[in-house]
Amino acid sequence: MTFPEFMVREKNKFSASGRMKVCPFEIVNYSDTMKEDVHAFLSEEFVQAGKTFEPQSRHKIYQDIKNNFILFLCMKNGSKIIGTVALCKLNEFNCELKAMYLNKNYQGKKLGYKLAKTAIDFAKNNGYKKIYLDSMKKYDRALHLYRSLGFRETARYNDNDKADIFMLLDL
C-alpha cells in the first residue's frame, strides 16, 4: 500500500518571488529493500533520543519487519527516510503503536501527527478496537503528540522495563 503524497509548508522558507515553498513528503509501506536504510535511520534516531539501537538483541524485532509488524510505514523526503511508525498485533482486537520516530529536523511541521494518524486509520479500518503504546515520561513532545491524537494513560500492559508510561487509544 502506498499512500498519496501530501504537502507541508515549511516555516520561513520562501522562494525568490517571496512565496512560501511547499515541500512534498510521502508515506510508503516498508519493503525488504529498505531494511538497511531503516536500520540506519533508527540507529540515528535512537542516538538522538539518548538510546542505543541494538538490532541483534533488545531490538531484534527489526530484523524481520515484514513478519513482526502488521504495518510498518516510512515517511520519506525524496529518497531519504525521515520518519517511521509501525503497528504490532497484540490480539484479535488490540494492537500496539511502535517505531514512532521523526527526525528532529522535521519536527514541528505536523508530520508526526500525519504519520501516527495514518497508522491509527489503518488499525481502525482493519477492525482493531484499541491501540496501546509504551514510552518514557521524559519524551514530552511525543507524549503531547499522543495526547493530541486521543491517547490516554493506562495501566502497564507489557514487560518493557525501559518504559514508564503506558497509553491507550479507543478506536
Side-chain angles (χ1 to χ4, degrees):
M1 166 180 11
T2 299
F3 296 87
E5 185 176 283
F6 60 97
M7 308 302 269
V8 176
R9 292 180 190 237
E10 285 192 0
K11 295 178 185 172
N12 302 322
K13 300 286 183 176
F14 295 93
S15 67
S17 66
R19 292 189 177 164
M20 186 167 288
K21 292 181 183 178
V22 179
C23 301
F25 299 94
E26 67 177 336
I27 298 174
V28 298
N29 253 350
Y30 170 84
S31 70
D32 287 333
T33 61
M34 301 168 73
K35 183 177 181 178
E36 190 175 306
D37 291 338
V38 167
H39 280 210
F41 170 77
L42 291 173
S43 183
E44 181 180 316
E45 293 310 306
F46 273 55
V47 168
Q48 291 296 321
K51 304 187 292 187
T52 302
F53 182 54
E54 303 171 49
Q56 301 303 325
S57 56
R58 179 170 171 71
H59 305 112
K60 64 183 174 222
I61 192 170
Y62 296 105
Q63 286 298 335
D64 188 4
I65 291 172
K66 283 252 189 210
N67 290 312
N68 290 326
F69 297 93
I70 56 172
L71 178 72
F72 196 101
L73 300 174
C74 297
M75 180 174 278
K76 297 177 90 176
N77 182 4
S79 62
K80 181 181 179 179
I81 295 173
I82 62 165
T84 59
V85 67
L87 293 171
C88 283
K89 182 177 182 172
L90 296 175
N91 59 45
E92 184 180 351
F93 300 107
N94 303 319
C95 59
E96 181 179 27
L97 188 75
K98 303 290 286 177
M100 181 69 209
Y101 295 101
L102 183 65
N103 181 277
K104 68 179 181 177
N105 296 325
Y106 297 89
Q107 293 176 7
K109 301 173 196 259
K110 306 286 185 209
L111 296 174
Y113 184 91
K114 178 68 176 172
L115 197 53
K117 185 77 170 83
T118 303
I120 291 166
D121 290 345
F122 175 90
K124 202 180 290 186
N125 293 336
N126 283 276
Y128 290 94
K129 304 298 181 203
K130 296 179 181 196
I131 301 176
Y132 289 84
L133 67 82
D134 63 20
S135 189
M136 297 171 73
K137 291 178 183 172
K138 69 179 184 178
Y139 299 137
D140 295 331
R141 292 181 81 169
L143 297 177
H144 177 78
L145 170 65
Y146 300 143
R147 288 185 179 107
S148 76
L149 289 160
F151 282 88
R152 59 182 167 75
E153 287 188 47
T154 191
R156 177 181 286 274
Y157 67 91
N158 66 25
D159 61 357
N160 179 355
D161 62 341
K162 304 287 186 198
D164 59 7
I165 187 166
F166 302 84
M167 301 183 90
L168 166 68
L169 176 66
D170 291 305
L171 300 176

